[in-house]
Every structure is written in C-alpha cells, then in structure tokens.
Amino acid sequence: MTARRTVDNAPARVGYGTLLRTPGARGFLVPAFAARLPYAMLSLGIVLLVLDTHGSYGTAGAVAAVSAVAQAFVGPQTGRLADRFGQSAVLLPSVLVHAVSVGALIALALGHAPVWTLFLAAAPAGASVPQIGAMVRARWVTKLADSSPGTLNTAFAFESVTDEFTFVVGPVLATAVATGVTPAAGLVAEAALTVVGGLAFAAQRSTAPVRHPQVPGTRRVSALASPGVRLLAGAFLGVGTVFGAMQVSVTAFAEAAGRPGASGIVYGVFAGGSMLAGVLYGMVAWRRSARGRMLGSYALLVLGCSTLWAMPGLTTLALAGLVCGLAIAPTLITGYTLVETLVPDGAKTEAFTWLTGAIGLGLAAGSTVAGRLIDGHGPSAGFLVPVAGAGLGLLALVLLRRLLVAPAAGTSVFAGAADAVAPSAVATSAVTATGDPAAPGRAVARSGAGAQLVGASKG
C-alpha cells in the first residue's frame, strides 16, 4: 500500500467539489443516502406504530429502546464481518433479515400481540440495520489512500453533515408517512428504503474496500481491543446522551411553555448548528493536531450543555442549543479521523461501527434517564443529562488522551501474525504526540495500528 507523507507543514485546503469528483464516489454516495435514511426512521417509526396499536408511550419507548440497543451491540459485529468477507456479502443477508423483522413487527403490532412478542421482533430489526455510514467511511479511506492528507478530513466532514441531514429528514419523512397514510406506513417506508438503498449500495463493488480474510494459524482481534478505540467509543457514548436527552427535554420544555410545536424549531436550530459547523469544519486546512481539536470541540460541547438547564425560555434555549450543535459535528468528524489511525485496514469498518453504535446506545440511555428526571422534577431537569454525559466523556478524554496517539509498529489485525510484519514497517518512525492523524503520521498509522490491537489482546 502506498504510504502517506509524514510531514505536512502546509496542509492543502480541499473543497467538497474536489471530493465529489473522486472517481466512483457518486456511484456509492447516492444509494448510500437512501440506505441511511432508515437509520433515522426506525425508532420513531416504531414509537408511532406501537403508540397507535397499544396506546402507551412507555411500551412504545421500550420497544424502540430494544431495537436501538440491539443495533448498538450487533452493528460492530456486522462491521467486523464486512472487513473480513466484504461489504456486499454482509449487506445482502442484512437487508433481507431487516425487511422480514420489520414486517413481523408491523404484523404483531397491528394484531395487538403481547408486548413481549414486539420485543422479539424489534431486536432483530435493530440488529440488522445496515451500517451504511461506517461502510461509506471505509470506502473513503480506500479511495483516498493516495490523496492529500486533508482530503480524508473533508470526506469525514461530508459524512458528518450527511448524517445530520438524514437525522433531520428521516424523522420528518417517517412522521409524514405515518400520519398521512397509516401508522404502519412509516415502518413500511423504512424497510423499503433499507432494501432498495442497501442492495443498490452493495452493487457498487468496485469502490468497496478489499476483504481481509482470516490468516491461517491466527485469530482475529476486535477493533475494540485498541484502548484508543474504547476511549473514543466512550466519548461518543457521551455525545449520544446529548442527542437522546435533547430530544426528550426540548419536547417537554416546549409543552410546559404551552408551545409544543416550537420543539421542532428548537431542535432544528440544534441540528442546523451542527450541520453548519460540519460544513465549515471540512473546508479548513487544520494545522492543529486532531487530538487537540477533539479536546477543544468536546470542551465546547460541555460548555454549551452546561447552560441548558438554566434557560428561562424557548428563545434562550434555542441559542444554547445552537452552541451545543456547533460543537457536535467537529467532535464527530475528529473522532472518526482519530479512530481511522488507531486500527489497521482490516478493522476500520468495525471501528467506525463501534463509534456509531456508541452514539445509538448513548441516545437510548440519555432519552430514558432524561424522561425519568422530567417526570420527577420537571422539564429543566432533563437538561442535566447532556452535561453529565458529555462531562464524563470530556474527563475521560483529558485523562486518557495519550491513548489517541497512533501506534508505531506492526501491520496486522490478526493476533499471532506479528512475526510476518515487514522489517521496513517495524522500523517506521513513531507518530509524535502532536501529529495530526489527518495529516502527519498517516503512513505510520497505516503500518502501525496492528501492534496496538495485538498487544491489547494479549494484555
């Protein structure tokens, strides 16, 4: 594999137009967008359907939570299989299982089946959600392997903005279809988009990363064996609590203020701030290290969250939410940039899915805890969850930031394969503590990530 340069004193500014002109990019981006919308539609679609058929917010939320938790834990295993067997080989059975599971959930709900049967259908429905976002990021890593260092940062910024956009459009689409047609139609649309978009994305084989099959005589090590990946997953868990608590708390705050319709505007300002920050972030040729940027953006997130509980009205709440939103996208973009340097090529999709799954798990936890606080202490109490979750994430990042430096030797994702590493790879110089994984040190990151995985598995 062609190594990247390790010194970049003048990083080039890379525009989105240049990124989108990458050969083959549009071929996988268009179906990927269709296949990603369901990611933001599933939970809300479940809530709307179960609420209509069983008449309980608690039941609807519990069924949606089961789906989210299953997705958070099984998604990384799907990513691991994609690294090993290829994305298409994993996507084809995933979309089939998802369509069948969602169909079963719809049938059970409409038939007013016992709640426990809804849980049984919701679990595989969530577990089989295609990890398209992680797969697209893995494709960018492959496509941009020989591009300028700033290009991958721009690609991750583009993906973050796309994620934000889908989480704005997805719920609106699910609500419109469910309320305009029938509550079950929201999930029908979700399953249809998953199948069509997933199959179309899987058909784009030419841009897929190469497979990394099992090496004889070795065992494959999970990306989560990397301490740095675990740290970033914990940090993203904190970001997820912000998402979950904001959704519930903003809704409750607006209803208490007698303006329930304003909740969408306030949350839209929050999401819009994140989208704007993501667009601008990807256009900057950063000289500061990715680790430093991660700490800075996460600190801004905590600062914004710390004011939410004290806001006296919807206008001030929207302004505080804007500050939080401006920190979200830079935090996510930098996190994905960092994790890409911490694992070898054979574990990148899995590593991306651990971060995505951590957000989903944090979202479920944040919404649950915030809901309980709101029930017991009022709407403002729910806003304590974002600052607590994000605060713990920042504390972990500050104390363990040394784990975010890419390792210096080894090339394999397989334990027991270290002896096969080429001497030139082992001799590669270490990444400096101030090296930017988006620029300096990427050659080292690609040749050195395996040692951390193997070493961690033995420890």
Side-chain angles (χ1 to χ4, degrees):
M1 179 176 293
T2 302
R4 289 178 183 265
R5 57 183 174 177
T6 57
V7 177
D8 187 3
N9 294 323
R13 178 179 177 273
V14 180
Y16 292 105
T18 301
L19 179 72
L20 295 176
R21 286 193 292 273
T22 301
R26 299 193 184 207
F28 67 79
L29 287 177
V30 174
F33 179 75
R36 289 163 90 158
L37 276 176
Y39 192 90
M41 296 172 64
L42 182 60
S43 291
L44 183 56
I46 291 175
V47 168
L48 293 174
L49 174 62
V50 177
L51 180 62
D52 178 73
T53 58
H54 287 67
S56 169
Y57 280 99
T59 299
V63 176
V66 167
S67 173
V69 170
Q71 181 177 338
F73 282 107
V74 178
Q77 311 312 317
T78 302
R80 191 176 189 183
L81 292 174
D83 284 324
R84 181 176 179 182
F85 298 106
Q87 294 183 357
S88 296
V90 172
L91 279 171
L92 296 178
S94 291
V95 298
L96 177 61
V97 171
H98 187 75
V100 172
S101 300
V102 171
L105 178 59
I106 292 173
L108 290 169
L110 293 178
H112 300 281
V115 173
W116 64 269
T117 63
L118 302 184
F119 293 151
L120 291 181
S128 58
V129 171
Q131 300 299 310
I132 299 295
M135 292 181 180
V136 171
R137 288 178 171 91
R139 293 193 183 213
W140 280 125
V141 171
T142 299
K143 293 294 293 182
L144 304 178
D146 299 312
S147 301
S148 62
T151 310
L152 189 60
N153 185 72
T154 303
F156 286 158
F158 180 82
E159 291 307 310
S160 179
V161 173
T162 303
D163 285 338
E164 292 288 349
F165 187 69
T166 57
F167 272 95
V168 171
V169 175
V172 173
L173 178 60
T175 302
V177 175
T179 56
V181 184
T182 176
L187 282 181
V188 171
E190 185 274 339
L193 283 171
T194 297
V195 172
V196 175
L199 293 179
F201 182 80
Q204 303 298 314
R205 297 174 182 269
S206 63
T207 55
V210 298
R211 296 184 297 111
H212 294 270
Q214 188 79 28
V215 176
T218 66
R219 62 185 179 85
R220 197 177 193 93
V221 182
S222 171
L224 203 60
S226 164
V229 174
R230 293 199 298 269
L231 174 59
L232 288 173
F236 274 45
L237 184 70
V239 175
T241 64
V242 176
F243 286 136
M246 283 289 287
Q247 289 178 353
V248 176
S249 301
V250 167
T251 300
F253 192 92
E255 289 182 352
R259 298 174 59 191
S263 61
I265 298 175
V266 175
Y267 196 79
V269 170
F270 168 74
S274 181
M275 290 179 63
L276 175 63
V279 171
L280 297 177
Y281 188 91
M283 297 173 65
V284 176
W286 294 99
R287 295 178 181 271
R288 189 181 182 187
S289 71
R291 183 175 63 172
R293 300 200 305 269
M294 183 72 176
L295 292 172
S297 61
Y298 213 104
L300 178 61
L301 176 62
V302 175
L303 178 64
C305 290
S306 66
T307 64
L308 293 170
W309 66 273
M311 293 298 102
L314 288 170
T315 300
T316 54
L317 179 62
L319 292 175
L322 176 63
V323 175
C324 293
L326 290 173
I328 289 288
T331 297
L332 299 182
I333 294 166
T334 311
Y336 283 115
T337 301
L338 282 166
V339 81
E340 191 270 331
T341 69
L342 298 175
V343 295
D345 288 346
K348 292 192 186 299
T349 307
E350 181 195 351
F352 291 143
T353 52
W354 275 117
L355 299 194
T356 304
I359 293 175
L361 192 60
L363 192 153
S367 60
T368 300
V369 175
R372 291 185 177 276
L373 287 175
I374 291 169
D375 287 340
H377 306 283
S380 295
F383 291 117
L384 296 175
V385 175
V387 67
L392 290 174
L394 178 62
L395 180 63
L397 285 173
V398 171
L399 294 178
L400 302 174
R401 59 187 181 278
R402 61 182 176 78
L403 300 179
L404 299 180
V405 176
T411 59
S412 179
V413 71
F414 302 106
D419 293 339
V421 176
S424 60
V426 177
T428 306
S429 60
V431 178
T432 62
T434 57
D436 186 344
R442 187 171 299 283
V444 175
R446 287 186 175 277
S447 66
Q452 184 172 351
L453 287 180
V454 174
S457 69
K458 293 179 179 178

